[in-house]
Amino acid sequence: MIYIYGLFDPRNLSLKYIGKADNIDQRLNSHIYQAKTHRGNNHHKDRWIRQLLNEGLEPAIEVLEECANDDWQEIEDAWIQEAKETWEEMQKVPNT
């Protein structure tokens, strides 16, 4: 079983990252370790996690969908595309 998950900012619950894992707790710990040690390859995500850690917080992780081992890429891509479209639509809303 593969889990498609989201990392959320605990300050405002905004979705910051979508990924896949077979063990959610291990994956969250890995994200935190990579951010702390500067070993991650997603500098924006790692910088965000370090900022949270400096404030005494951690990212919230939530399973978005469970899927079989052979179709996780399509499902992850669909979640990422939906998140991008939502973000783009939010940018079109004028400030009032």
Side-chain angles (χ1 to χ4, degrees), residues 1 4 13 19 21 23 32 38-39 52 72 83 85 88 95:
M1 183 65 59
I4 306 303
L13 300 180
N23 184 309
I32 292 170
H38 300 269
R39 294 184 182 188
L52 290 177
W72 68 265
E85 290 171 5
E88 289 171 1
N95 292 333

Side-chain angles (χ1 to χ4, degrees), residues 6-9 11-18 42 44-45 48:
L7 292 181
F8 294 83
D9 191 315
R11 299 169 293 193
N12 58 18
L13 300 180
S14 63
L15 178 61
K16 296 292 188 180
Y17 181 83
I18 295 173
N42 183 325
H44 180 74
K45 174 185 56 75
W48 165 67

Side-chain angles (χ1 to χ4, degrees), residues 10 15 21 26 32 34 39 41 49 53 55 65 87 92:
L15 178 61
Q26 281 183 346
I32 292 170
Q34 289 172 346
R39 294 184 182 188
N41 60 2
I49 291 174
L53 295 173
E55 295 178 23
E65 189 166 339
W87 184 84
K92 295 177 184 176

Side-chain angles (χ1 to χ4, degrees), residues 21-88:
D22 55 5
N23 184 309
I24 294 298
D25 293 329
Q26 281 183 346
R27 190 63 186 115
L28 178 58
N29 289 335
S30 177
H31 280 298
I32 292 170
Y33 174 79
Q34 289 172 346
K36 283 181 177 179
T37 60
H38 300 269
R39 294 184 182 188
N41 60 2
N42 183 325
H43 301 294
H44 180 74
K45 174 185 56 75
D46 294 341
R47 198 171 25 248
W48 165 67
I49 291 174
R50 283 193 300 275
Q51 181 184 26
L52 290 177
L53 295 173
N54 288 337
E55 295 178 23
L57 301 170
E58 289 186 356
I61 190 167
E62 181 179 326
V63 173
L64 302 173
E65 189 166 339
E66 297 179 16
C67 53
N69 291 349
D70 58 349
D71 63 351
W72 68 265
Q73 287 178 309
E74 292 174 17
I75 295 170
E76 181 188 42
D77 289 345
W79 275 100
I80 291 169
Q81 186 59 40
E82 182 178 330
K84 285 180 179 178
E85 290 171 5
T86 300
W87 184 84
E88 289 171 1

